[in-house]
Each structure stands twice: as structure tokens, then as C-alpha cells.
Amino acid sequence: MILTVTLNTALDITYRVPSLRAGASHRVSEVLERPGGKGVNVARVLAALGHEVTVTGFSGGPTGRVLRDRLTEVPRVTDALVPVSGATRRTVTLVDDRTGATTHLNEPGPHIAHAEWSAFQEVYEDLLPSASAVALCGSLPPGVPVGAYANLVRTARTARAARVPVLLDTSGAALRRGVAGRPDLLKPNTEELAELTGSHEPLRATQDARRRGAGTVVASLGADGLLAVTPEGRWRATPPAPLTGNPTGAGDAAVAGLLSALVEHRPWPERLIRATALSAATVLSPTAGDFDRETYERLLTTVTVTGVATAA
């Protein structure tokens, strides 16, 4: 079982309009509603790849009830969310059908009380012995300590069962504090990496992030693919050509690709190929955050990986 942690879950609502204009009224052509938050998105892709996944984090209020109801519709995903008194946030995406541009409105999330945070930590520790890997994903809701991810990484490293590998995918202060917990894998994009290290040169910034505590860093370079700096070597994965589409959820798909290949004990080049192909297939999908299996399998054969393994 792969465990994904989404402390700031969300009910994702997508509105499609023929043409988005500021200050105007719009007739919505399509509405899509589904459970979200980065770790939940990762879980959905992992389940589509055939992995058993448990989702934990927080859920509360009417929005949280809808989120949990929708989770029951996703095969191979188990709900271990912790109830809270506040209401789960909503994220609203506006899609302009004419241009393909997307506009995002993200609510901050409920305030988490000290007792609720303690209850989550107990659930998390109970789940670790059954986990083959852990993904800590997304923002921290109000009330959760800024060093929460560092503590959750350390807890996984000292779990009662065998040590559980941990992937961290967050930003801002949560990333700066979280990397000090020494996660096995850090998955920032270039903006997050630059904010963490102060460097806008991807290779230099990735190496610096490793020095700050991450075992391996896989940086998302947008349309240019992925850059991985690991103890085993350094690689760059590149999609076959520039892609036009909706990038929403592409980073979460890449995380799912990395995790799925990690628990299958694939070598690093294969992990990067899978992650890059999934990310690209998500960009090309007409539904944000989803991927088409045929497109993904075709892209697996076209991703290019270059790099070198560290000499033994």
C-alpha cells in the first residue's frame, strides 16, 4: 500500500466557459466536481496504474462529506481521512474554451485545532507499518505547525516497522522546513526550487537542495521534462516535443509515476520515463488532472533520458 498525505484536501470544481472575460457574466458549458488536493490527485493516478493507495489528511463540513463520498467511487483508494470541525476548502478552476487558459481560485482551508493535529498524527503512525512508500503533498492548512512535514518525515524514518521511504512535494516555508527532515525524495518545480535555494540554474539549485537534506531531488522543468540528482547518478528526462494543453495536475501525475516505479524497484531512468510520460499525458488530456492510457503508453516509448550513473 502507498500512503498519500493531503493535509489541505479540497473539493475541486472546474467550470468551462466559451470565453472568459473579466467583469462579465458567463454561461457555464460544463461543471466537473471531484476530490482533490495534491496527495488525493497523486492517489487517483496511482490507483489508475493499479496500485493500492490509502489517503489520509483532514476532511470536514459539508464539502468534506462530498469529498469523501466521491472518494468511494475511486477503485483501489482507501479513505483514512481524519474528521475536523472546520469545512474542507474548495478550489475553483475556470477554463476558457477559446484559448485553453485556466484561472485558479484556491481557498485557504479550515483551521486545524491542536487536538485534531494530534489525532492525525496517531492515524499516520498507525498507517506507516503497512505502507511501502509515503507521499507528503501540498500546502498546510491554518493551525498546522510550519515544521509539520519535517516531523512527519522523521516519524516515517523511525517507524515501528521497517523504514518507509518518503517523498515531499510542497512549497514555501513548509518546503524550507520540511527538507530539514531529510526526505528520501524531494519533488519541487523550478520556482519552488529557486525559492528554496536562491538559484535559478536548475542543476545548481537541485544539488543545493540535496545538501540541505534531501536524499534525491527530482525537479520539474515544465515543458522541458524532469531533472534528477540522486545518490546513484544524475539524469534528465525530456518529452518528445513541446506540448500544448492544460498543465493542471501534471506535477501530481509525475509524483505518482515516481512513487509507482520506486515501489516496483525500477532503476532511475525508468522512473523518470514513467513520470515524464504520465505528466505529458496529463497535459494532453481534455479533462484536467486525468490521463489517457493509450496516450501514456505511446509517450513511454518517446521520452528521452540522458545522464550518467555514479561510479561504484
Side-chain angles (χ1 to χ4, degrees):
M1 175 269 286
I2 299 174
L3 177 62
T4 70
V5 175
T6 313
L7 298 177
N8 210 5
T9 56
L11 185 65
D12 290 341
I13 303 168
T14 301
Y15 295 115
R16 304 190 71 95
V17 297
S19 179
L20 184 63
R21 291 168 292 139
S25 296
H26 297 80
R27 188 174 297 278
V28 176
S29 58
E30 181 184 19
V31 180
L32 177 66
E33 184 180 82
R34 66 181 183 185
K38 290 182 72 63
V40 174
N41 297 337
V42 170
R44 186 186 301 110
V45 177
L46 283 168
L49 294 172
H51 291 274
E52 297 294 325
V53 191
T54 296
V55 171
T56 190
F58 297 110
S59 175
T63 309
R65 287 194 292 273
V66 174
L67 184 151
R68 300 186 83 162
D69 286 344
R70 293 297 175 87
L71 270 182
T72 64
E73 302 168 3
V74 184
R76 291 184 288 275
V77 172
T78 299
D79 175 0
L81 294 169
V82 175
V84 295
S85 60
T88 295
R89 66 187 178 129
R90 296 161 296 178
T91 63
V92 178
T93 300
L94 307 176
V95 181
D96 185 326
D97 285 334
R98 180 176 59 86
T99 65
T102 58
T103 301
H104 303 283
L105 305 174
N106 297 326
E107 296 179 357
H111 185 276
I112 305 301
H114 178 74
E116 293 167 338
W117 174 239
S118 296
F120 164 78
Q121 291 179 88
E122 291 182 10
V123 169
Y124 177 71
E125 290 185 32
D126 288 342
L127 290 168
L128 284 174
S130 302
S132 56
V134 176
L136 306 174
C137 302
S139 60
L140 300 177
V144 172
V146 69
Y149 282 139
N151 290 332
L152 295 179
V153 171
R154 294 186 186 107
T155 299
R157 294 175 68 90
T158 58
R160 287 170 292 181
R163 181 181 180 278
V164 184
V166 180
L167 180 150
L168 177 61
D169 182 12
T170 187
S171 60
L175 173 59
R176 291 193 299 273
R177 293 288 295 274
V179 72
R182 306 187 69 82
D184 299 273
L185 176 56
L186 195 68
K187 211 292 293 174
N189 60 34
T190 51
E191 291 181 4
E192 294 160 350
L193 197 56
E195 184 180 6
L196 173 66
T197 66
S199 174
H200 292 271
E201 200 289 307
L203 179 57
R204 180 179 303 166
T206 302
Q207 292 169 327
D208 186 17
R210 283 201 69 212
R211 287 190 290 270
R212 292 168 185 260
T216 287
V217 180
V218 178
S220 292
L221 307 179
D224 294 327
L226 298 173
L227 171 65
V229 178
T230 85
E232 292 83 24
R234 186 172 73 210
W235 291 275
R236 172 83 173 266
T238 308
L243 303 173
T244 301
N246 186 351
T248 303
D252 300 332
V255 168
L258 292 170
L259 277 177
S260 64
L262 181 152
V263 300
E264 295 170 19
H265 306 290
R266 304 285 184 176
W268 268 109
E270 289 187 28
R271 298 181 197 184
L272 296 173
I273 288 172
R274 182 179 298 185
T276 303
L278 276 169
S279 181
T282 302
V283 170
L284 295 172
S285 173
T287 302
D290 285 340
F291 72 96
D292 174 72
R293 172 71 65 166
E294 287 189 13
T295 302
Y296 160 60
E297 292 179 351
R298 173 176 56 80
L299 287 165
L300 280 173
T301 66
T302 61
V303 174
T304 302
V305 177
T306 57
V308 60
T310 303

